[in-house]
Amino acid sequence: MHFHDCFVRGCDGSVLIAGSDTERSAGPNRNLRGYEVIDAAKAKLEAVCPGVVSCADILALAARDSVVLSGGLSWQVPTGRRDGRVSIGTEAFTLPGPNDTVAVQNKKFSDKGLNTQDLVILAGGHTIGTAACQSFSDRLYSPNGTDPSIDPSFVPFLRQICPQNQPTKRVALDTGSQFRFDTSYFANLKRRHGILRSDQVLWTDASTRPFVIKYLATGLFNQEFAKSMIKMGNIGVKTDADGEIRTKCSAVN
Ligand code: HEM
């Protein structure tokens, strides 16, 4: 959620605003989950300390806490973001998508000031969580056959979880370790067990593969993930009168 927030109008909580034409209702955000967790945190904060902590900061802190709760290392999240007052659905289409090539993913990241290492390490966020079958089932059931970049011995497993026409069933993005913040997502890419096309290409593409190898061979994943998250969390931050502290995360004041 923090990623989808930061990439559209900066980290300003714009993804949280409800409405028929807002980012939240747009295709690239349709599968985002956990709005109720952010609303609950906001309600507790407003009860004790009204008007101080922005929804954009709650997203950044919750992202960090999700990592810690999954066994990753903690980091100090810079705070002070203010919430935006604008959210436009069509702008969400600048987000990277599951079928993007490395070139396209790189372009979308560099447009936000993030480099290839940031791309690979932040995609490592897929060490936790799940994807809906509809986000990748074309790799299993294309009229042209199964995507040859998937390990053939992995295909029956995926087909079992995602039978044809079951778009909303969900699959772990890091098979065997979806609740642990660890490097097994990268090990799965190397075994050609990446779930999304956008994941698997990080191994097949010569520009991103060295980073995958680096995180498998060294213990640097946790600390470099934290650095890239801080960098991402600084995208387009609003201060002072550019923003507000929303009372409810789903609506501007
Ligand atoms: C590099 C470009 C990225 C692409 C193309 C991408 C794409 C996706 C897609 C398609 C899903 C599955 C959505 C669904 O079907 O429900 C997903 C899930 C997820 N992504 Fe990414 N993602 C990218 C980067 C990131 C980054 C930078 C982070 C965080 C640092 C991240 C964290 C997650 C998490 C935690 C989930 C699981 C959500 C859940 O369980 O509901 N992703 N991503």
Side-chain angles (χ1 to χ4, degrees):
M1 269 186 152
H2 182 42
F3 160 55
H4 281 224
D5 184 32
C6 292
F7 265 56
V8 185
R9 286 189 173 260
C11 313
D12 70 344
S14 54
V15 74
L16 299 171
I17 297 172
S20 55
D21 296 321
T22 62
E23 289 168 37
R24 179 168 169 165
S25 327
N29 288 323
R30 212 161 282 150
N31 285 338
L32 283 188
R33 303 187 293 163
Y35 292 96
E36 71 286 359
V37 177
I38 305 302
D39 290 343
K42 182 63 175 173
K44 284 196 171 179
L45 281 162
E46 287 303 301
V48 291
C49 211
V52 175
V53 183
S54 67
C55 298
D57 275 353
I58 294 173
L59 284 178
L61 293 160
R64 188 271 319 274
D65 291 352
S66 315
V67 170
V68 174
L69 288 167
S70 320
L73 288 185
S74 190
W75 66 90
Q76 189 83 39
V77 177
T79 53
R81 297 170 189 79
R82 291 176 70 84
D83 295 322
R85 299 185 186 88
V86 177
S87 180
I88 300 170
T90 50
E91 292 183 353
F93 290 91
T94 55
L95 279 160
N99 292 324
D100 285 354
T101 60
V102 167
V104 171
Q105 295 186 61
N106 249 325
K107 168 82 172 76
K108 289 177 176 175
F109 273 65
S110 77
D111 285 348
K112 303 293 167 193
L114 300 173
N115 60 31
T116 306
Q117 169 162 310
D118 296 316
L119 164 64
V120 176
I121 200 144
L122 290 172
H126 291 170
T127 175
I128 51 180
T130 57
C133 293
Q134 65 192 345
S135 296
F136 72 98
S137 57
D138 59 313
R139 299 183 75 205
L140 304 174
Y141 301 110
S142 146
N144 306 323
T146 310
D147 181 340
S149 69
I150 311 177
D151 169 10
S153 72
F154 189 45
V155 172
F157 168 81
L158 292 177
R159 286 198 169 146
Q160 197 190 347
I161 304 180
C162 289
Q164 246 169 323
N165 309 319
Q166 296 269 1
T168 56
K169 289 191 75 182
R170 303 190 68 88
V171 179
L173 284 161
D174 180 11
T175 307
S177 174
Q178 74 175 97
F179 301 113
R180 298 285 317 161
F181 191 89
D182 57 17
T183 55
S184 95
Y185 161 79
F186 294 115
N188 273 323
L189 298 187
K190 187 176 173 184
R191 297 161 70 204
R192 300 195 288 146
H193 287 199
I195 300 297
L196 307 175
R197 208 175 256 119
S198 57
D199 291 321
Q200 193 56 57
V201 291
L202 300 177
W203 175 256
T204 44
D205 192 284
S207 69
T208 43
R209 185 190 286 207
F211 294 106
V212 176
I213 293 172
K214 172 177 161 186
Y215 297 121
L216 282 173
T218 66
L220 290 171
F221 176 53
N222 264 282
Q223 78 196 61
E224 294 193 352
F225 183 82
K227 277 191 202 157
S228 293
M229 283 293 277
I230 292 170
K231 208 168 153 186
M232 184 182 87
N234 285 336
I235 298 172
V237 166
K238 295 185 170 60
T239 51
D240 304 319
D242 287 350
E244 61 185 18
I245 304 293
R246 249 176 248 156
T247 309
K248 261 180 66 183
C249 289
S250 57
V252 298
N253 290 346

